[in-house]
Amino acid sequence: MNIQIQNVSVEYQRPILENIDLEIEAGEFVSIVGQTGCGKSTLLRLILGEQIPSRGRVLVGGKERTQPDPTCGYVPQKYSLFPDRTVLGNVTFGLNGRGARETALKMIQRTGLKESDAAKYPHQLSGGMQQRVAIAQALVMNPPVLLMDEAFSALDPGTRAGMQRLIKELWEESGTTIVFVTHNTREAAYLGTRVIALANRSIALDVSAPAEEELEHVFL
Ligand SMILES: Nc1ncnc2c1ncn2[C@@H]1O[C@H](COP(=O)(O)OP(=O)(O)O)[C@@H](O)[C@H]1O
Ligand SMILES: [Mg+2]
């Protein structure tokens, strides 16, 4: 599904985003970089439909966003698991029907957790492991649009590289449109088919469409 951000502004006490125009085609993997406080999370929440712009419109698949729904999967900046559900319970939440358990177990393993972790509760896991569960929870729904907010920032470098490969693989398999916010410009260039820099004066600059040759030089 495509994403259209049309002349969008967001103000709290001061303007955060001003007249942002951005078109994301179906199946793109767009990385968004920018300094802390420039409005990256706000932009994701607008696409999610959790927040409504002060001015302008945000459309996903041609439909204006009014509230979160299953078209957009979301991995927030801070993990947000159900504390009273096991890992498996968290990942199967929202999955229906036969095969839900097997699908969830497969995804748990793909994110590098063990099958024996499935019965554990979030408080029994490290922060990095909890974040993998949150990622598995979003991925298992196979949403047409996936929004990730610094989702790998809490992971140690080895795990992070593994998750980067996984998300790329899943994106290639599924054709999901991904918007990936990160602080790490290397990560942005490695993952994205396009990198958008959100400048402090809230202008979305299309800084690059990284070429294959360039990507090979990205050190992880
Ligand atoms: N609910 C809110 N009320 C008031 N100010 C907010 C709110 N949410 C975010 N902000 C402010 O908006 C700015 C952009 O926030 P955010 O989108 O979280 O930036 P980023 O993710 O790029 O660090 C920050 O200055 C932040 O303090
Ligand atoms: Mg943020």
Side-chain angles (χ1 to χ4, degrees):
M1 274 185 186
N2 69 330
I3 301 169
Q4 294 163 286
I5 295 167
Q6 300 175 338
N7 204 22
V8 160
S9 299
V10 172
E11 286 161 13
Y12 294 115
Q13 286 80 3
R14 63 180 178 90
I16 306 298
L17 299 173
E18 275 189 282
N19 305 324
I20 299 282
D21 275 298
L22 188 59
E23 294 263 342
I24 297 173
E25 298 300 325
E28 271 197 271
F29 194 137
V30 172
S31 299
I32 298 194
V33 294
Q35 291 177 341
T36 301
C38 72
K40 302 181 298 298
S41 296
T42 302
L43 189 63
L44 281 196
R45 285 197 305 269
L46 291 172
I47 301 170
L48 182 65
E50 199 178 77
Q51 196 173 336
I52 306 299
S54 315
R55 285 185 301 282
R57 302 198 306 165
V58 178
L59 299 98
V60 171
K63 217 169 146 269
E64 193 160 354
R65 300 301 287 165
T66 52
Q67 60 188 34
D69 66 29
T71 54
C72 294
Y74 179 50
V75 182
Q77 206 162 346
K78 288 203 188 95
Y79 24 87
S80 55
L81 301 177
F82 300 109
D84 55 344
R85 286 172 184 265
T86 62
V87 167
L88 186 63
N90 269 280
V91 178
T92 50
F93 184 80
L95 272 186
N96 295 311
R98 277 163 188 264
R101 185 188 151 86
E102 281 64 38
T103 309
L105 281 173
K106 256 189 222 151
M107 190 54 77
I108 286 167
Q109 284 171 318
R110 282 191 85 172
T111 55
L113 297 165
K114 297 193 195 75
E115 200 168 342
S116 57
D117 293 325
K120 291 183 180 160
Y121 286 87
H123 75 266
Q124 297 174 290
L125 305 176
S126 69
M129 287 166 88
Q130 290 187 39
Q131 187 65 343
R132 293 194 216 198
V133 179
I135 292 164
Q137 190 182 53
L139 291 175
V140 83
M141 303 297 290
N142 196 15
V145 171
L146 181 59
L147 309 169
M148 301 185 83
D149 197 349
E150 307 201 27
F152 300 162
S153 302
L155 304 175
D156 64 75
T159 307
R160 187 171 188 153
M163 294 305 291
Q164 288 170 345
R165 282 193 294 275
L166 173 65
I167 199 77
K168 235 181 161 171
E169 253 171 55
L170 289 166
W171 170 69
E172 281 160 5
E173 284 169 20
S174 66
T176 297
T177 311
I178 299 185
V179 186
F180 189 95
V181 166
T182 178
H183 253 96
N184 185 321
T185 49
R186 279 186 187 149
E187 181 173 73
Y190 169 67
L191 289 175
T193 48
R194 188 147 65 111
V195 180
I196 304 285
L198 211 53
N200 248 350
R201 286 176 55 219
S202 299
I203 303 156
L205 297 175
D206 202 337
V207 291
S208 74
E212 285 289 321
E213 317 79 80
E214 286 172 42
L215 291 183
E216 287 176 20
H217 296 289
V218 173
F219 174 74
L220 284 173

